[in-house]
């Protein structure tokens, strides 16, 4: 069934365009070096191997950071969208962010419906010590637990510091980690011509995906629950610490390329070697590409942007390793999804609607569900890798209040 949708007139000259995020996912992707990057645009005639790469900004381990803030007047973030039960069986609420199609930026509303995700059979980290692998802090921040103190727990903060919290909702056995790309005042990601900010759009869609997964009985947690920066290494380590079955990083692309009748979604996957993709990452990527492109193609009156070699592919640096931080860092199966082009006026207008969030979230959850419960392989595989070398640039990370 086609989704009736009135697109904005296509304008090739883009306005209000800040941090772009094309094939590099808008700034949450970085090589193995613990530094931030900005990539200068470059083009080549050989679209099968190297594509034009936009200017980007990354937040990673070499960013300038500040000490964790613990003052009482620190504004709290929303409660987490994850619905992970603690040891007493209590659950957190699941706020949902919706997008007003007439507005220029997402509007956040809180859904007070309480749902719960089943507790996995995976034991707590260090059963003898009683330490969970992670917890949701009182202000709604998901963190890995690194130790215990007389009065609480030592945790790894979003900016990579060690801090103490007195309590939290334990995360045990989350099967899926959802990563809303970008975050914070510096790392906004792309900004659409309608003022829609990728940082906010990614979080909105991630919350909807988590709601969908919870409804299917699939336990999941987010790397970010509000508008704050988080290091790539911390995001990746959270998925590894939780021993997740899958990590999905959510992004929206830029700049705009050729206009197409079919969505230009891209899914970046992990490498097994310089010549081979990692099989589990590739299968997850193929399912996401199949479900997402099929779902988005149901919208009428959208002039999509699409690169010549869009699909499920690896992106390698010139040294032959995976170029993006959220791909190379995790040891768990990981993918990075670029749903479409926020820089494209026609797509940006669609992305600002509640219907897009609903359709994209269902498609994403369908793919994750199929990955966990079937042996389907998906579609859209591109054999030849894309080549991309990020360049270094400074950035900034400031920890939110944890309680």
């Amino acid at each position: 069934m086609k989704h009736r949708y009135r697109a904005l007139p296509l304008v090739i000259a883009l306005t209000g365009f800040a941090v772009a995020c094309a094939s590099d996912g808008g700034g949450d992707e970085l090589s193995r070096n613990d530094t931030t990057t900005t990539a200068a645009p470059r083009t080549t005639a050989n679209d099968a191997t190297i594509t034009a790469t936009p200017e980007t900004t990354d937040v990673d381990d070499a960013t300038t950071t500040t000490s964790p803030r613990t003052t009482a007047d620190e504004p709290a973030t929303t409660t987490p969208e994850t619905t992970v039960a603690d040891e007493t069986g209590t659950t957190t609420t699941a706020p949902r962010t919706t997008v007003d199609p007439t507005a220029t930026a997402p509007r956040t509303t809180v859904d007070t419906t309480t749902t719960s995700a089943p507790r996995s059979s995976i034991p707590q980290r260090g059963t003898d010590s009683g330490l969970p692998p992670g917890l949701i802090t009182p202000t709604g921040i998901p963190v890995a637990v690194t130790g215990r103190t007389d009065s609480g727990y030592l945790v790894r903060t979003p900016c990579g510091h060690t801090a103490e919290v007195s309590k939290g909702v334990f995360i045990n056995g989350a099967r899926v980690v959802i990563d809303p790309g970008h975050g914070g005042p510096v790392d906004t990601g792309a900004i659409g011509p309608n003022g829609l900010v990728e940082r906010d759009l990614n979080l909105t869609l991630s919350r909807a995906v988590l709601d969908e997964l919870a409804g299917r009985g699939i336990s999941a947690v987010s790397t970010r629950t509000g508008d704050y920066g988080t290091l790539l290494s911390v995001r990746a380590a959270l998925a590894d610490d939780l021993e997740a079955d899958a990590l999905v990083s959510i992004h929206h692309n830029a700049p705009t390329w050729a206009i197409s009748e079919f969505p230009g979604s891209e899914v970046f996957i992990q490498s097994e070697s310089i010549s081979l993709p990692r099989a589990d990452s590739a299968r997850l990527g193929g399912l996401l590409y199949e479900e997402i492109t099929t779902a988005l193609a149901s919208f009428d009156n959208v002039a999509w942007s699409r690169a010549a070699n869009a699909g499920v592919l690896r992106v390698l640096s010139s040294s032959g390793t995976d170029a993006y931080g959220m791909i190379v860092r995790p040891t768990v199966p990981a993918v990075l999804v670029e749903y479409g082009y926020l820089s494209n006026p026609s797509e940006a207008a669609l992305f600002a609607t509640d219907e897009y969030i609903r359709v994209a979230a269902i498609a994403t959850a369908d793919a994750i569900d199929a990955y966990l419960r079937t042996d389907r392989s998906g579609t859209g595989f591109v054999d030849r890798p894309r080549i991309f070398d990020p360049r270094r640039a400074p950035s900034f990370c400031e920890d939110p209040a944890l309680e």
Side-chain angles (χ1 to χ4, degrees), residues 97-109 190-201 204 342 348-349 351-354:
T97 300
T98 58
V99 181
D100 182 352
T102 64
T104 59
R107 178 182 75 249
T108 302
T109 59
I191 298 179
N194 59 350
L196 187 60
V197 180
E198 186 193 355
R199 166 198 65 200
D200 304 326
L201 175 59
T204 297
L342 182 56
F351 297 158
T353 66
D354 290 340

Side-chain angles (χ1 to χ4, degrees), residues 90-347:
T90 60
T91 59
T92 59
T93 57
R96 177 181 296 112
T97 300
T98 58
V99 181
D100 182 352
T102 64
T104 59
R107 178 182 75 249
T108 302
T109 59
V110 176
D111 181 353
T112 57
T113 302
T114 300
T115 57
S116 63
R119 296 167 62 180
S120 168
S121 60
I122 299 175
Q124 294 183 17
R125 172 193 296 175
T127 304
D128 292 340
S129 65
L131 282 179
L135 59 79
I136 306 295
T137 75
T139 55
I141 310 298
V143 291
V145 175
T146 60
R148 184 188 287 277
T149 67
D150 291 340
S151 56
Y153 300 92
L154 294 176
V155 300
R156 184 187 305 117
T157 73
C159 293
H161 298 112
T162 296
E164 181 180 352
V165 295
S166 61
K167 59 184 178 180
V169 178
F170 289 173
I171 305 172
N172 286 302
R175 299 198 67 186
V176 179
V177 171
I178 301 296
D179 174 55
H182 307 286
V186 174
D187 188 14
T188 63
I191 298 179
N194 59 350
L196 187 60
V197 180
E198 186 193 355
R199 166 198 65 200
D200 304 326
L201 175 59
N202 295 342
L203 185 59
T204 297
L205 179 53
S206 294
R207 286 172 167 165
V209 171
L210 288 160
D211 282 349
E212 280 291 328
L213 293 174
R216 299 165 192 240
I218 299 173
S219 56
V221 69
S222 180
T223 61
R224 176 170 70 89
T225 55
D227 184 14
Y228 54 87
T230 308
L231 299 183
L232 299 183
S233 59
V234 172
R235 289 165 148 163
L238 181 63
D240 290 341
D241 290 335
L242 298 179
E243 299 181 318
D245 293 322
L247 166 63
V248 178
S249 188
I250 288 178
H251 292 262
H252 292 77
N253 225 335
T256 305
W257 302 115
I259 300 304
S260 169
E261 295 181 355
F262 191 72
S265 307
E266 297 183 331
V267 185
F268 305 135
I269 60 175
Q270 294 165 308
S271 295
E272 182 69 33
S273 66
I274 191 171
S275 59
L276 292 174
R278 176 172 165 174
D280 49 7
S281 175
R283 190 170 78 85
L284 175 59
L287 290 167
L288 283 161
Y289 180 82
E290 179 179 357
E291 295 290 348
I292 290 169
T293 55
T294 300
L296 295 187
S298 68
F299 286 101
D300 281 330
N301 303 321
V302 180
W304 302 100
S305 178
R306 184 176 176 86
N309 62 345
V312 183
L313 68 158
R314 295 182 297 142
V315 181
L316 305 180
S317 68
S318 57
S319 63
T321 59
D322 289 324
Y324 301 158
M326 289 308 293
I327 296 299
V328 71
R329 290 180 178 278
T331 60
V332 303
V335 299
L336 188 151
V337 184
E338 296 280 5
Y339 286 76
Y341 285 81
L342 182 56
S343 57
N344 177 9
S346 183
E347 293 180 61

